[in-house]
Every structure is written in C-alpha cells, then in structure tokens.
C-alpha cells in the first residue's frame, strides 16, 4: 500500500505515512469489513426467524388445547373430604355434648348430694348396687335420689363383690358356698357374688381349718360332729375332714 501524498510504500494497517507524516485513509481491510451485508439482509437470518415463529405458534396452540381444570380437581378433592370429615366430627361432638350437660343440669340438689354420699361410702367400704341404695335411703335420701346417686357413682359391682369377699375373710372363715350366699345376702347378684368369691384368692382347706378352730373355741365337738358342722357351713367333705384333722380330731 502507498501513501496518497508522497507515494511511499507503507504498511497496510498504518494510520500515518512514515515518510511525510500524512494521515492515511481508513485501511483496506476495514473498508472490506464494512462492505459486508448486514446480518438481517442475509437469507439464513430469515430462515431462522421463520423457524422460531413457527415453533412459538405451535407451543401456544398446544398449551391452549390442554385442560386446565384437572390440577384443581386433584387438589380440591382432599380438601372437600377433609372438610366433610371435620364437619361430621363437629356435628357428632355438638350432638353428644348437650346430652351430658343436660343430664347433670337437670339433677336436683338432693340427687347431687346423694351422688356425693355414694362416692364417699365407696371410698372406704365395698357395697352392692342394692346395698348402697339401702344405705343412702337409711341416711334419709328418697328412693329417687338414692338411685340417681348409685347409678352415677361409677362403681364396678363385680369389683365391689371381690372387695367385699376379701373384707369378710379378714374377720371370719367361710366356705366357698357360704361366702357366695353371704354376698348375695348383701345384695350382690349371683353372678357378681360368684365372680367375687372366684377371685378373692381364698384357700378353702385353710378356711375349713380356721372355721373348725373357731367352733372348738366356743364348744366341744367330736370329730364326726365337727365334720358335720363344717359340711353344714358349705365345706366339702374333704375340706371338712382336713379341717378336723388339722385341729387334732
């Protein structure tokens, strides 16, 4: 490349002539680059644009054709079920709660006092259902008040029979049959009395020994006479003979 002013050979990218110092026109390579077409005038640019536009339109069409209600259905179904369950539980609770409250609110002062008295008796002694009613009536409560108190005292009458059986065995000797009859006399049902005696833990042979000893402390008996007396009290023949033998007869 030559300087336009002095004709000196200069480098193609030089900006000033090394001979005369005159400025050099814009380099050839730069002019060559500027001569290129803009990218938006090239054919491949518009091919890319058309492809992108086509892809965008296809995506919009597919999105609009998909059902939008399905996700809402999946998420709202459990909420509906939970709400229904909650409402049902609340309804049951609201229905049951007033019944208990109403029963307590309608009790008379006498009935409430009978209930307190019944619980007080059960705290230090065992009673049958009927025996506790009789005791409250003896204290001056009406039959209605006593019955209300016993019905609501929360006692387990089978457990009460067991406690009563044990308390009898602490002060006296009994045969199995004799203890069942004693509990029935106290107002327990046959089923309750039998349950109490079955679970009192007594050794009926030892009870025969104790019963025979108590008889001998009060009076004189022959062997056969003591055996007969123990059998009369409900002991088996075997238990009675064991009791007589253990007492020296």
């Amino acid at each position: 490349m030559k300087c336009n002013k002095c004709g000196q050979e200069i480098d193609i990218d030089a900006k000033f002539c090394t001979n005369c110092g005159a400025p050099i026109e814009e380099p050839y390579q730069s002019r060559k680059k500027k001569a290129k077409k803009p990218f938006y005038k090239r054919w491949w640019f518009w091919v890319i644009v058309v492809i992108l536009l086509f892809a965008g339109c296809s995506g919009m069409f597919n999105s609009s054709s998909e059902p939008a209600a399905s996700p809402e259905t999946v998420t709202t179904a459990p909420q509906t079920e939970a709400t229904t369950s909650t409402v049902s539980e609340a309804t049951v609770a609201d229905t049951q709660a007033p019944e208990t409250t109403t029963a307590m609110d309608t009790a008379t002062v006498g009935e409430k006092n009978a209930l307190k008295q019944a619980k007080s008796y059960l705290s230090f002694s065992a009673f049958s259902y009927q025996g506790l009613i009789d005791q409250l009536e003896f204290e001056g409560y009406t039959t209605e008040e006593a019955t209300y108190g016993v019905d609501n005292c929360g006692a387990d009458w089978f457990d009460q029979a067991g406690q009563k059986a044990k308390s009898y065995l602490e002060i006296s000797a009994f045969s199995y049959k004799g203890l069942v009859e004693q509990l029935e006399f106290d107002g327990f049902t046959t089923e309750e009395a039998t349950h109490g005696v079955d679970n009192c833990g007594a050794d009926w042979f030892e009870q025969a020994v104790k019963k025979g000893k108590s008889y001998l402390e009060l009076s004189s008996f022959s062997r056969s006479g003591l055996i007969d007396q123990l059998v009369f009290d409900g002991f088996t023949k075997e238990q009675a003979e064991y009791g007589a033998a253990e007492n020296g007869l």
Side-chain angles (χ1 to χ4, degrees), residues 63-226:
S63 299
S64 61
S65 61
E66 293 178 355
S70 297
E72 295 182 3
T73 304
V74 173
T75 56
T76 54
Q79 294 177 0
T80 304
E81 181 178 353
T83 303
T84 305
S85 177
T86 304
V87 171
S88 299
E89 292 175 0
T91 304
V92 172
D94 292 341
T95 304
Q96 293 177 346
E99 293 180 359
T100 304
T101 304
T102 303
M104 294 298 296
D105 290 344
T106 57
T108 65
V109 175
E111 289 173 337
K112 292 178 180 179
N113 288 336
L115 174 57
K116 292 179 182 178
Q117 190 72 56
K119 290 182 177 180
S120 174
Y121 276 126
L122 291 172
S123 67
F124 64 83
S125 183
F127 284 87
S128 66
Y129 178 89
Q130 187 59 50
L132 190 52
I133 289 177
D134 293 341
Q135 183 63 40
L136 292 175
E137 289 179 334
F138 179 79
E139 294 290 341
Y141 293 99
T142 66
T143 301
E144 290 75 15
E145 292 169 342
T147 302
Y148 174 87
V150 176
D151 283 341
N152 293 278
C153 68
D156 181 337
W157 304 114
F158 285 92
D159 181 64
Q160 290 293 307
Q163 293 183 38
K164 194 67 171 179
K166 290 179 181 179
S167 69
Y168 275 127
L169 292 172
E170 290 175 357
I171 58 176
S172 182
F174 285 86
S175 65
Y176 179 93
K177 181 182 178 182
L179 190 51
V180 170
E181 291 174 349
Q182 182 60 49
L183 293 178
E184 289 177 334
F185 178 80
D186 290 337
F188 290 99
T189 66
T190 300
E191 187 178 5
E192 293 165 351
T194 302
H195 174 85
V197 176
D198 283 341
N199 293 277
C200 68
D203 181 335
W204 305 114
F205 284 91
E206 288 302 318
Q207 290 296 309
V209 174
K210 291 180 181 180
K211 194 67 171 178
K213 183 178 180 180
S214 68
Y215 278 129
L216 291 171
E217 290 175 351
L218 297 173
S219 181
S220 298
F221 285 86
S222 64
R223 173 179 169 79
S224 61
L226 184 58

Side-chain angles (χ1 to χ4, degrees), residues 234-246:
F235 291 99
T236 65
K237 183 69 177 294
E238 186 180 6
Q239 292 165 353
E241 290 176 347
Y242 179 85
E246 290 296 311

Side-chain angles (χ1 to χ4, degrees), residues 5-81:
K5 187 173 182 180
C6 67
Q8 177 68 29
E9 288 287 339
I10 58 175
D11 187 75
I12 191 170
D13 293 325
K15 294 183 178 181
F16 296 94
C17 178
T18 57
N19 182 46
C20 66
I24 304 302
E25 293 183 1
E26 192 173 1
Y28 172 77
Q29 291 297 334
S30 299
R31 291 197 305 272
K32 185 177 180 181
K33 290 179 182 179
K34 286 187 177 181
K36 293 181 180 180
K37 291 183 179 180
F39 69 92
Y40 57 84
K41 290 185 178 182
R42 296 179 179 274
W43 66 269
W44 52 263
F45 171 77
W46 292 107
V47 171
I48 294 174
V49 170
V50 171
I51 292 173
L52 292 176
L53 288 175
F54 178 77
C57 292
S58 299
M60 291 177 63
F61 176 77
N62 291 335
S63 299
S64 61
S65 61
E66 293 178 355
S70 297
E72 295 182 3
T73 304
V74 173
T75 56
T76 54
Q79 294 177 0
T80 304
E81 181 178 353

